[in-house]
Amino acid sequence: MKKIYLLALILATVILLILFVLYNRYASYYEEEKISQYISKHIDILNENLDFEKKYALSLSLFVSKNETIKRALIEKNQQMALDEMQCFLNEIRHSAGIENVDIQIHTHDLKAFARNWDSSAYYGTQLSTFRQGLVRVKKTLEPFVSIELGRRLNIKAISPITDKDGSFIGSIEIIMGFQNIKQRLQKFDLQILGLLDQKFIDIAVDLKENPRVGKYYVVEKQYSRTLYRIVSTHLPILTSKQFYHRIGDRIIVLIPMKSVGIEDVGMIALSIPSTYDEAHAVVKVDYTKENNKYHFNQHRREVIIK
């Protein structure tokens, strides 16, 4: 009889251990899925703001491409006329919309620099087709195009073709916007971002050479989150880690690869998210594919790409 009791006790213990292990595995999986959904929701917020900024830049680009004074300046090769008209447009944008971080550049029909609002230096006449794939694409297709593109800086570039009255390509207009507006909008979600450029592209993005570095990356903007910079610079191994996210203190850090048109990964965006959340907030269901078909997130592969 004692043997039966002993066997029953052993069997019950084994079953309890198995149930305990299964419960822990399920709890761990459930917690991981909650975190995954929580992070995905905030990645989607970042992407929606990037997409909004791209659409805004593209609408400005399309509008300026119809400007008759700009067209005449290109045809007459009058750089000063173009500079004056660009400045009038920028003044109106700053006055009416309160947006400061907008730059404009005009290119000739053979994809050379014609005029840019931030200076009128010897940059005039520089051939851009060798490293500005967005310009090549717009000339070839005669269709507007917007993306995060590598140039002397890494930022949002919205390019529209400029055509004469016969529809012939005479040049292109480019609206350039940094990430400052996006960072300000993300603050209400307690989110921070830090754009990082791989050092192997610094000979193209020459305007970033004096910016701070994090490992093998250059910080993309001069006005950046010091808090996030400090977190990343003191945890450099996360830059090469294949983990989907990293919990550091009271923040979750996600590193999102950035692509530039026609080029491989040029860097990444570090996204900082609050690490505290509740279950109801974490399990919100969102269809991530409908917002922007240039944004891909595979929950199982833990892969995000922004371009």
Side-chain angles (χ1 to χ4, degrees):
M1 197 69 176
K2 288 183 178 180
K3 287 184 179 181
I4 295 175
Y5 284 139
L6 182 61
L7 288 173
L9 180 62
I10 292 172
L11 182 61
T13 302
V14 170
I15 292 173
L16 286 173
L17 284 173
I18 292 173
L19 290 174
F20 179 75
V21 170
L22 290 175
Y23 172 79
N24 279 340
R25 286 186 179 180
Y26 173 78
S28 176
Y29 173 80
Y30 179 66
E31 181 66 18
E32 187 66 21
E33 287 303 302
K34 285 200 303 180
I35 294 174
S36 175
Q37 291 179 24
Y38 173 73
I39 293 173
S40 300
K41 180 178 183 295
H42 287 88
I43 291 173
D44 192 56
I45 291 171
L46 168 61
N47 184 69
E48 287 178 356
N49 278 274
L50 282 166
D51 195 41
F52 175 84
E53 201 78 352
K54 288 177 185 179
K55 289 176 180 177
Y56 182 71
L58 189 59
S59 66
L60 292 178
S61 176
L62 285 165
F63 179 76
V64 182
S65 71
K66 309 300 181 184
N67 186 287
E68 293 299 327
T69 303
I70 296 292
K71 291 183 179 183
R72 189 165 74 251
L74 273 170
I75 293 170
E76 298 176 5
K77 297 182 173 56
N78 189 330
Q79 187 193 43
Q80 191 57 51
M81 182 188 297
L83 289 169
D84 292 342
E85 189 66 14
M86 283 192 298
Q87 196 56 54
C88 288
F89 178 76
L90 286 171
N91 290 341
E92 182 62 28
I93 288 293
R94 289 163 183 163
H95 176 73
S96 61
I99 296 177
E100 296 288 339
N101 64 324
V102 178
D103 287 318
I104 304 177
Q105 183 169 213
I106 301 173
H107 325 98
T108 63
H109 70 94
D110 52 356
L111 306 185
K112 292 181 179 179
F114 179 67
R116 57 183 190 177
N117 68 282
W118 61 97
D119 69 48
S120 56
S121 66
Y123 189 64
Y124 175 82
T126 300
Q127 180 57 249
L128 304 175
S129 60
T130 55
F131 63 95
R132 292 294 312 282
Q133 296 303 309
L135 297 179
V136 175
R137 173 173 174 160
V138 169
K139 180 178 181 178
K140 182 178 179 179
T141 64
L142 292 182
E143 294 289 336
F145 180 69
V146 60
S147 69
I148 295 176
E149 186 179 358
L150 182 65
R152 293 175 66 92
R153 295 171 287 174
L154 180 65
N155 40 30
I156 294 171
K157 296 178 171 69
I159 309 165
S160 294
I162 300 176
T163 57
D164 62 16
K165 60 182 180 180
D166 298 320
S168 299
F169 180 81
I170 60 173
S172 56
I173 188 84
E174 178 178 27
I175 297 293
I176 303 168
M177 300 185 72
F179 303 111
Q180 190 60 34
N181 297 333
I182 297 171
K183 289 188 290 187
Q184 290 175 356
R185 290 196 296 270
L186 291 177
Q187 285 178 359
K188 67 181 181 180
F189 300 101
D190 194 14
L191 302 179
Q192 301 166 1
I193 59 171
L194 184 70
L196 299 171
L197 173 74
D198 194 308
Q199 64 185 9
K200 65 184 175 181
F201 299 105
I202 198 61
D203 288 335
I204 297 175
V206 293
D207 287 356
L208 306 185
K209 283 188 174 182
E210 301 302 318
N211 285 13
R213 296 186 63 173
V214 182
K216 69 169 188 172
Y217 297 93
Y218 284 83
V219 175
V220 167
E221 295 194 295
K222 296 188 183 300
Q223 297 180 1
Y224 58 92
S225 169
R226 265 58 175 180
T227 301
L228 183 50
Y229 174 80
R230 185 168 56 253
I231 291 174
V232 176
S233 61
T234 54
H235 297 82
L236 291 179
I238 70 174
L239 294 174
T240 54
S241 171
K242 294 184 178 180
Q243 285 183 225
F244 175 48
Y245 68 91
H246 305 270
R247 194 187 293 266
I248 301 174
D250 61 351
R251 308 296 293 184
I252 292 173
I253 308 300
V254 185
L255 299 172
I256 306 170
M258 278 195 297
K259 290 182 178 293
S260 176
V261 57
I263 309 178
E264 63 214 85
D265 289 356
V266 293
M268 61 180 69
I269 292 179
L271 172 64
S272 174
I273 305 168
S275 64
T276 55
Y277 65 97
D278 57 52
E279 183 172 340
H281 182 58
V283 298
V284 174
K285 300 293 184 182
V286 182
D287 185 349
Y288 302 103
T289 61
K290 290 183 179 178
E291 296 296 336
N292 181 1
N293 58 13
K294 292 182 180 179
Y295 165 74
H296 309 281
F297 172 64
N298 185 311
Q299 180 172 298
H300 300 290
R301 292 178 60 193
R302 301 296 191 264
E303 180 180 280
V304 184
I305 298 174
I306 285 179
K307 56 185 178 180

